[in-house]
Amino acid sequence: MRSSGPALLPIFRSQHQAELLMWLFLHPQEEYGVTQLAERLCAPVSTLHREVVRLEAAGLITSRSLGRNRLLRANMGHPASRPLAELLDLTFGPRVVVAEEFDVPGADRVVIFGSWASRYEGEVGLPPHDIDVLVVGEVDRADVYEAAERAQARLGLEVNPVVRSPQAWREPVDELVVQIKGTAHTVVIGGDQGES
């Protein structure tokens, strides 16, 4: 089944293509198997395989065989690799960057909400100019603000963190938590990543 073009940046053929490129270009020194990427990106192996064939034919990614596994990586020697990596970082990167940077002690769950989450979930609209992040847990706020600064430096977008307790997430009476749970949001740490 072909996924539709992503609302975050509809120049990509599909959401799966954009996510595959994002993961490989955000981790250019790493190699990943197709099955491993399919699990990480919650995409069917057959769909990713078709995208891999197209992207490798275009020279954007490379692969090599290791036994029965096919290992993939971004082709950083391609003339479009640098601008493509910057574009992917800016548009699809927040899910990965926020997960990496906000993995702080005491964080039970990290959720992206607001305009970026709406575009990621397919709602058409203007491009997001910032990333709204909810951290659920008993955390040191200094750790959270430092994580936001690191994520902001990597993404080139303002990152706005808020903190709520686990109880506030489980029993939503807080207006912000009620709003987040009632609109598009993407869980990047805790729960099922990518859950709404």
Side-chain angles (χ1 to χ4, degrees), residues 60-79:
L60 290 169
I61 66 173
T62 62
S63 72
R64 69 180 180 96
S65 295
L66 182 63
R68 294 178 57 173
N69 294 325
R70 186 174 181 186
L71 300 177
L72 312 172
R73 74 168 19 170
N75 179 7
M76 298 311 289
H78 190 284

Side-chain angles (χ1 to χ4, degrees), residues 4-19 21-22 83-94 115-116 118-128:
S4 60
L8 268 172
L9 195 63
I11 64 170
F12 292 103
R13 181 181 177 284
S14 68
Q15 182 82 12
H16 292 130
Q17 181 194 61
E19 297 244 351
L21 284 167
M22 175 269 303
L84 179 59
E86 289 174 7
L87 187 62
L88 290 162
D89 202 30
L90 181 65
T91 54
F92 292 89
S115 60
W116 186 89
S118 295
R119 297 306 156 274
Y120 184 75
E121 294 297 324
E123 186 179 307
V124 177
L126 295 173

Side-chain angles (χ1 to χ4, degrees), residues 113 134 136 162-183 185:
F113 64 99
L134 169 68
V136 178
V162 293
V163 177
R164 293 296 187 269
S165 71
Q167 181 177 351
W169 180 259
R170 284 190 308 272
E171 302 167 15
V173 292
D174 178 285
E175 283 186 35
L176 179 62
V177 173
V178 171
Q179 177 190 347
I180 291 170
K181 285 190 163 191
T183 58
H185 61 278

Side-chain angles (χ1 to χ4, degrees), residues 18 32 35 52 54 66 79 100 112 125 131 138 143 146 153-154 161 167 169 177 179 189:
Y32 298 93
T35 303
V52 165
R54 285 183 188 94
L66 182 63
E100 291 172 354
I112 301 176
I131 308 296
E138 302 301 329
D143 289 343
E146 287 172 10
R154 287 177 65 184
Q167 181 177 351
W169 180 259
V177 173
Q179 177 190 347
I189 294 177

Side-chain angles (χ1 to χ4, degrees), residues 90-105:
L90 181 65
T91 54
F92 292 89
R95 188 168 69 100
V96 172
V97 170
V98 168
E100 291 172 354
E101 297 299 347
F102 281 83
D103 190 11
V104 298

